[in-house]
């Protein structure tokens, strides 16, 4: 049986006694900072150029965003599958297929 990502993340954190630093505010800040580092890879370049030349860096920054997201959800006793399902349902209401198919308009412009 494969060990869960959350279990591996928490083990890494706990082995270093870092739980004390991972409060909700700081995790939210860290998510934003890591997302900015991911975004910075694409600054002034085409998507294709970055994907072709910086795939490993993209993976690393995306992993950082996800790791902090897992930790924040865990701190708040939120099940990621559940909150994603709820959000997708809300998005389904905002963006019905018959109005949004092939469109990049925001829900209030459909």
């Amino acid at each position: 049986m494969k060990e869960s990502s959350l279990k591996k993340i928490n083990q890494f954190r706990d082995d270093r006694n870092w739980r004390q630093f991972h409060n909700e505010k700081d995790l939210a800040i860290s998510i934003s900072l890591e997302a900015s580092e991911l975004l910075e890879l694409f600054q002034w370049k085409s998507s294709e150029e970055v994907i072709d030349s910086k795939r490993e860096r993209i993976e690393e920054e995306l992993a950082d965003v996800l790791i902090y997201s897992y930790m924040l959800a865990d701190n708040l006793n939120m099940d990621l599958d559940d909150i994603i399902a709820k959000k997708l349902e809300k998005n389904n209401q905002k963006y019905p297929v018959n109005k949004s198919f092939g469109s990049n308009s925001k829900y209030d412009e459909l």
Side-chain angles (χ1 to χ4, degrees):
M1 184 172 170
K2 186 177 176 183
E3 188 176 21
S4 77
S5 294
L6 181 58
K7 188 173 181 178
K8 289 177 185 177
I9 291 166
N10 286 342
Q11 185 67 55
F12 180 88
R13 177 201 64 202
D14 294 345
D15 286 349
R16 289 153 182 81
N17 191 30
W18 287 350
R19 174 65 181 90
Q20 61 187 319
F21 308 117
H22 293 161
N23 62 70
E24 294 75 23
K25 174 192 67 82
D26 288 326
L27 290 170
I29 290 169
S30 296
I31 291 167
S32 180
L33 292 172
E34 296 299 340
S36 294
E37 289 181 19
L38 176 62
L39 187 58
E40 186 178 29
L41 296 174
F42 289 90
Q43 186 177 27
W44 315 121
K45 298 172 183 71
S46 70
S47 293
E48 296 79 16
E49 181 182 355
V50 178
I51 292 167
D52 290 342
S53 67
K54 298 196 184 270
R55 187 165 191 89
E56 185 176 351
R57 287 287 315 281
I58 294 169
E59 289 176 355
E60 290 172 357
E61 298 306 339
L62 183 56
D64 287 339
V65 170
L66 292 168
I67 288 166
Y68 286 128
S69 296
Y70 269 82
M71 293 170 75
L72 180 58
D74 188 47
N75 275 18
L76 297 171
N77 295 316
M78 295 178 178
D79 179 276
L80 285 174
D81 289 333
D82 183 50
I83 64 175
I84 289 169
K86 287 177 187 176
K87 182 59 177 174
L88 286 173
E89 181 53 38
K90 281 186 177 183
N91 287 348
N92 191 43
Q93 299 298 314
K94 285 176 156 180
Y95 297 97
V97 173
N98 64 329
K99 291 184 178 180
S100 59
F101 187 83
S103 172
N104 64 354
S105 296
K106 193 171 177 182
Y107 66 92
D108 60 354
E109 298 172 347
L110 293 173

